[in-house]
Amino acid sequence: MADQEKDITFIIRYFDLGLSEDELLVFEKKIEEDTEFAQKVQLYQKSIDIVEKAYQTNADKARIEQWKTQINANQKAKNNKFSWKWIGGIAATIALLFFGWQLNTKSQQNIEVALTEAWHKKIGLDYKSLRNTKHDSLKSILLTAVDSYETEQYQYAINTLARFNTTIPYYEDALLIKGLSYYKKGAIKKALQTLDTLTQYHTQRKAKVARWYQGLIYLETGNKQKAKEFLQLPNQHNPAIQLKE
């Protein structure tokens, strides 16, 4: 909501000719680069135009008086002459708030759908190729942990991988399964720490996969800003979540 209020204030100051030259450059750049912000500006302009067109004649004094009764006492004391632009500003601000609420609701719904689909992709969790390998105890242990994770036996998966360290093959795979298992059983901090270790491991073999799941965890736990460090969230051009390169 804080960003929404900042946008509204910025737009109102623009229409009141209250922006400095530097702020005006920022405003114009934001219109070009931020589609949602551009829509808000257009909505504000339309709201002002509608109000000014509807109430600019003397025949509508009664309606104006109804508006006046809703004005703050301090506002009436400062300005006895009622401003059409101020009326438009009220209408436009209400419209923007409603627009923002709709936009945020729709955006949140899109994110929730995309998040579910992202988890279903099971990126980095395909170990089918290992199932045909015999006489490899480490692979067998790893597959047992993977199966335990997929059947929601998260603590068993973690315990199964306890012996894996940097000197043992499949260490990175073990870290991934352990990190996700920690998250699924509610140990969020430990999960993120485990995945962070994986992102920094020298081979970088599973680094992107770890970043993908770090982003999903942050997004699912409500930290959208942190999630954006790892992911590109759904927008009007792409409904899917993507890993930020």
Side-chain angles (χ1 to χ4, degrees):
M1 189 60 186
D3 290 340
Q4 172 75 359
E5 291 172 351
K6 287 180 182 178
D7 282 351
I8 293 173
T9 301
F10 203 20
I11 293 169
I12 291 173
R13 290 183 59 220
Y14 169 78
F15 279 94
D16 285 340
L17 305 179
L19 298 183
S20 65
E21 291 185 11
D22 289 341
E23 287 176 320
L24 187 57
L25 290 175
V26 173
F27 187 91
E28 292 173 347
K29 184 178 181 181
K30 191 171 177 65
I31 287 179
E32 293 177 1
E33 298 179 352
D34 189 334
T35 304
E36 293 177 6
F37 183 75
Q39 288 178 298
K40 293 176 184 179
V41 174
Q42 292 175 1
L43 179 59
Y44 190 94
Q45 178 66 72
K46 288 178 181 178
S47 299
I48 289 177
D49 290 345
I50 290 170
V51 172
E52 289 187 346
K53 183 177 180 180
Y55 299 119
Q56 63 185 355
T57 66
N58 291 332
D60 293 307
K61 286 183 179 180
R63 181 67 65 86
I64 295 171
E65 291 303 320
Q66 292 178 6
W67 276 93
K68 283 185 177 182
T69 60
Q70 298 180 47
I71 303 174
N72 183 286
N74 291 334
Q75 175 68 24
K76 288 201 291 185
K78 292 177 182 178
N79 185 11
N80 291 325
K81 184 178 179 181
F82 198 69
S83 167
W84 292 116
K85 196 167 188 179
W86 195 83
I87 297 177
I90 293 175
T93 300
I94 292 172
L96 278 175
L97 287 169
F98 182 69
F99 169 83
W101 175 80
Q102 287 186 311
L103 196 64
N104 290 338
T105 300
K106 184 177 180 180
S107 175
Q108 185 59 35
Q109 290 173 342
N110 291 342
I111 288 175
E112 289 173 0
V113 171
L115 185 57
T116 300
E117 292 176 351
W119 278 107
H120 284 167
K121 289 179 181 179
K122 296 185 177 180
I123 292 175
L125 296 175
D126 187 359
Y127 290 94
K128 293 178 182 177
S129 61
L130 298 184
R131 296 185 185 279
N132 298 325
T133 304
K134 297 180 180 180
H135 311 299
D136 189 327
S137 60
L138 290 178
K139 286 183 180 180
S140 178
I141 293 171
L142 179 62
L143 288 176
T144 298
V146 172
D147 289 340
S148 298
Y149 171 78
E150 292 184 342
T151 55
E152 301 183 6
Q153 301 176 69
Y154 303 123
Q155 188 59 55
Y156 188 78
I158 294 168
N159 294 342
T160 300
L161 298 169
R163 65 175 291 189
F164 283 78
N165 56 48
T166 57
T167 66
I168 296 179
Y170 315 117
Y171 171 66
E172 291 163 278
D173 300 275
L175 278 183
L176 176 62
I177 302 303
K178 285 173 70 176
L180 294 179
S181 296
Y182 281 132
Y183 174 63
K184 292 296 186 178
K185 68 189 295 290
I188 299 172
K189 184 177 180 180
K190 201 165 186 177
L192 290 170
Q193 288 174 340
T194 303
L195 292 173
D196 191 55
T197 299
L198 187 53
T199 64
Q200 299 179 50
Y201 197 66
H202 65 91
T203 66
Q204 293 288 288
R205 189 171 67 85
K206 289 279 187 177
K208 287 187 176 181
V209 173
R211 287 179 57 81
W212 167 258
Y213 286 111
Q214 282 178 292
L216 294 187
I217 289 172
Y218 279 119
L219 188 58
E220 193 163 66
T221 54
N223 193 340
K224 189 184 292 186
Q225 287 303 117
K226 191 67 177 177
K228 288 180 179 179
E229 294 181 14
F230 302 90
L231 306 172
Q232 292 180 354
L233 302 187
N235 54 49
Q236 60 183 6
H237 303 297
N238 190 346
I241 294 173
Q242 295 181 314
L243 180 67
K244 183 175 288 185
E245 298 294 338

